Amino acid sequence: MASMTLTINGKIHSVNVQQGTPLLWVLRDSLGLTGTKFGCGEGYCGCCTVIIDGDAVKSCGASVESAVGKKITTIEGLSRDRDHPVQRAWIEEEVPQCGYCQSGQILTAAALIARNPHPSDSDIDAAMDGVLCRCGTYHRIRRAIHHAADLKAGAK
Ligand code: FES
Ligand code: FES
C-alpha cells in the first residue's frame, strides 16, 4: 500500500492504496464519489470519464499514481449548483434517458468546449466518440453541446 495525495474538485484527499489501482476504484470505493460510473472497466464505454488537467480521461484506465499532482474534476465538482453551461444545456435539452453514461458524457463535453468554444458537428462526434450511450441519446447530446457553447458564449 502507498499513501498518495489527490486533488479532486478543488479539495485535497489522502488515500492509502496499492500502486496501479485504477483511479476509478479510488474515486468510487475509497472516496465515495460514485457519480463516476463503472461500465466495462476496459476503456471501451467511457462512462468512467473524468477531467484531468483539462483532458477527458477514462478513469478505469488511469492508475491512481498517474493522477497525483494533477487537477481532477468529477461530476460532483463540475459546478457548485449544476450551473455549468453543459449541465444547464443538458437539462434544457432533456438529454438523459437512463442516465448511466451521462456523467462521462457531460465531462467529455465540458472538456471539449473548454478547449474548443464553438465545436462543429464533426468536432463533437470526434470528441464524444469514446463515450457510449446504450439509450442512444447521441442526437440530444450533440444538440446540447451546441446549446452549451452558446450559453458559454452568452449568446442565449
Ligand atoms: S468503465 Fe472505463 S471505459 Fe468503460
Ligand atoms: S442515457 Fe442510458 S446509457 Fe446513456
Side-chain angles (χ1 to χ4, degrees):
M1 301 287 264
S3 180
M4 291 178 228
T5 300
L6 299 171
T7 304
I8 305 169
N9 302 332
K11 292 187 186 152
I12 308 289
H13 296 268
S14 292
V15 293
N16 200 24
V17 292
Q18 285 196 327
Q19 294 264 356
T21 302
L23 178 61
L24 175 60
W25 301 156
V26 176
L27 293 172
R28 290 182 56 84
D29 297 344
S30 303
L31 299 172
L33 294 168
T34 54
T36 306
K37 301 302 185 195
F38 168 68
C40 64
E42 297 188 354
Y44 296 120
C45 74
C47 70
C48 63
T49 299
V50 298
I51 298 174
I52 301 180
D53 281 353
D55 295 324
V57 174
K58 293 172 180 173
S59 63
C60 70
S63 67
V64 61
E65 60 268 27
S66 73
V68 170
K70 298 181 179 171
K71 189 176 157 198
I72 304 162
T73 303
T74 69
I75 192 67
E76 290 88 348
L78 184 61
S79 67
R80 206 177 232 184
D81 298 313
R82 299 179 188 169
D83 58 356
H84 185 285
V86 171
Q87 289 169 300
R88 289 170 55 202
W90 241 245
I91 292 166
E92 289 170 17
E93 298 290 348
E94 300 183 339
V95 173
Q97 191 159 319
C98 80
Y100 199 83
C101 71
Q102 296 290 321
S103 60
Q105 305 283 5
I106 288 170
L107 289 167
T108 305
L112 169 63
I113 68 165
R115 69 170 184 276
N116 180 353
H118 293 290
S120 64
D121 283 348
S122 58
D123 293 336
I124 291 170
D125 291 347
M128 305 303 293
D129 188 44
V131 193
L132 305 182
C133 176
R134 294 172 184 81
C135 300
T137 62
Y138 300 111
H139 292 296
R140 296 200 295 276
I141 287 170
R142 188 195 273 180
R143 199 167 64 226
I145 292 173
H146 286 301
H147 187 165
D150 289 342
L151 289 170
K152 189 169 181 224
K156 287 185 183 170

